[in-house]
Amino acid sequence: MDKIKISAVAYTNTKAFIYGIENSGIQEQIDLSLDIPSDCAAKVIDGTVDVGLIPVAAIPHVPHATIISDYCIGSVGAVNSVFIFSKVPASQIRTLKLDSHSRTSNNLARVLLKFYFKLDITYTTDPDAETDAIVLIGDRTFGKKADYNFAYDMGEEWMKFTGLPFVYAAWVANKPIPEAFLTEFNAALKLGLDNRKELLKTLPHNPDFDVEDYLMNKLDFELTEKKREALSLFLSYITQL
Ligand SMILES: C=C(O[C@@H]1C=C(C(=O)O)C=C[C@H]1O)C(=O)O
């Protein structure tokens, strides 16, 4: 059988999944690349890979998209790595710079600012633009909260808005994948989650960021019914932007 080509997120949030893949037999059946989330999405959309841990906002753009795992990158409330960092309180934000790595959180920011904070915002993707606030995700946010006047954790704001958890990224295939592989793949992901304490011993210590709290508590990796409900609601809000 040809190897299954997989693109996964190159951030700390995915380390447990990678640990599981690398410490199970399945690694030999996989051709794995680690990419920023927007590239994971692009590779699944254009067929460069068969499966990706992709930003959920990209799912409607994937031909024949199927979520192939009950594991995801999610949170129940605050996630501590998906922020709107701002010079001004949310109610005063007029201009927002989006994060080129992101697909989900850029859209989540737009959904929250329009439907929750009820603001009319000008958005830019120009990295040199001066704006009231920015979207920033992933490891680049670690220890950065203190650098800004206001830090809005979007997992927390979404929970206040909807009462629901959130799913940022899911394992999505663009073609049928053999059932036997999927069973083994999901077992590998579970192995990684079950061994997060072991994984933590191998990760660098960051005095400004509690990576144990992040991997054990803030991130929530089960794609539950509530998260699926949140996903449908989020995708329907995106169509109304
Ligand atoms: C929790 C996170 O979830 C992510 C956010 C994504 C996005 O905004 O498109 C995509 C993948 C995940 O890495 C994070 O990156 O901090």
Side-chain angles (χ1 to χ4, degrees):
M1 193 182 78
D2 284 347
K3 288 193 177 187
I4 309 274
K5 294 193 271 305
I6 297 185
S7 166
V9 175
Y11 291 160
T12 300
N13 61 27
T14 306
K15 295 266 187 206
F17 290 147
I18 303 303
Y19 183 95
I21 290 169
E22 288 178 347
N23 287 281
S24 62
I26 201 158
Q27 196 177 11
E28 292 147 30
Q29 301 174 54
I30 294 176
D31 184 355
L32 180 68
S33 62
L34 297 179
D35 301 295
I36 60 169
S38 50
D39 286 346
C40 295
K43 286 183 171 186
V44 177
I45 291 168
D46 72 14
T48 306
V49 298
D50 309 311
V51 171
L53 179 59
I54 69 163
V56 293
I59 291 176
H61 306 288
V62 175
H64 314 291
T66 314
I67 295 179
I68 56 146
S69 174
D70 287 333
Y71 299 109
C72 67
I73 304 289
S75 72
V76 183
V79 63
N80 209 20
S81 63
V82 170
F83 287 102
I84 295 173
F85 288 134
S86 182
K87 297 174 187 160
V88 295
S91 62
Q92 291 170 29
I93 297 174
R94 295 292 173 270
T95 54
L96 182 88
K97 182 158 55 183
L98 301 174
D99 183 340
S100 63
H101 285 206
S102 167
R103 289 292 174 265
T104 297
S105 310
N106 286 343
N107 280 288
L108 180 55
R110 298 181 64 187
V111 166
L112 289 169
L113 290 167
K114 179 166 180 175
F115 297 106
Y116 179 50
F117 292 103
K118 307 212 179 291
L119 297 168
D120 191 9
I121 306 277
T122 303
Y123 297 94
T124 180
T125 52
D126 175 358
D128 299 324
E130 271 296 314
T131 53
D132 299 330
I134 62 168
V135 171
L136 203 66
I137 67 162
D139 297 18
R140 296 163 302 147
T141 66
F142 293 179
K144 290 286 170 8
K145 265 194 268 191
D147 296 355
Y148 298 87
N149 295 339
F150 298 89
Y152 296 94
D153 184 311
M154 287 196 250
E156 190 175 356
E157 298 303 321
W158 170 263
M159 173 63 88
K160 285 192 222 158
F161 176 36
T162 64
L164 290 169
F166 194 73
V167 42
Y168 305 87
W171 292 99
V172 171
N174 54 18
K175 56 176 66 68
I177 305 291
E179 204 53 50
F181 176 85
L182 292 182
T183 306
E184 235 185 288
F185 184 65
N186 277 296
L189 300 181
K190 181 174 187 309
L191 178 82
L193 294 177
D194 291 348
N195 284 283
R196 277 173 283 174
K197 292 274 183 197
E198 282 307 306
L199 164 68
L200 279 162
K201 291 180 195 162
T202 71
L203 297 182
H205 175 70
N206 180 340
D208 299 322
F209 186 78
D210 186 344
V211 69
E212 175 163 359
D213 178 57
Y214 183 56
L215 284 182
M216 301 304 294
N217 306 317
K218 291 292 188 300
L219 289 165
D220 195 272
F221 298 96
E222 313 274 336
L223 186 51
T224 56
E225 274 310 309
K226 281 277 177 212
K227 286 209 196 71
R228 286 178 190 270
E229 186 185 330
L231 173 55
S232 319
L233 182 63
F234 175 56
L235 293 180
S236 77
Y237 273 123
I238 292 178
T239 65
Q240 299 166 56
L241 285 172

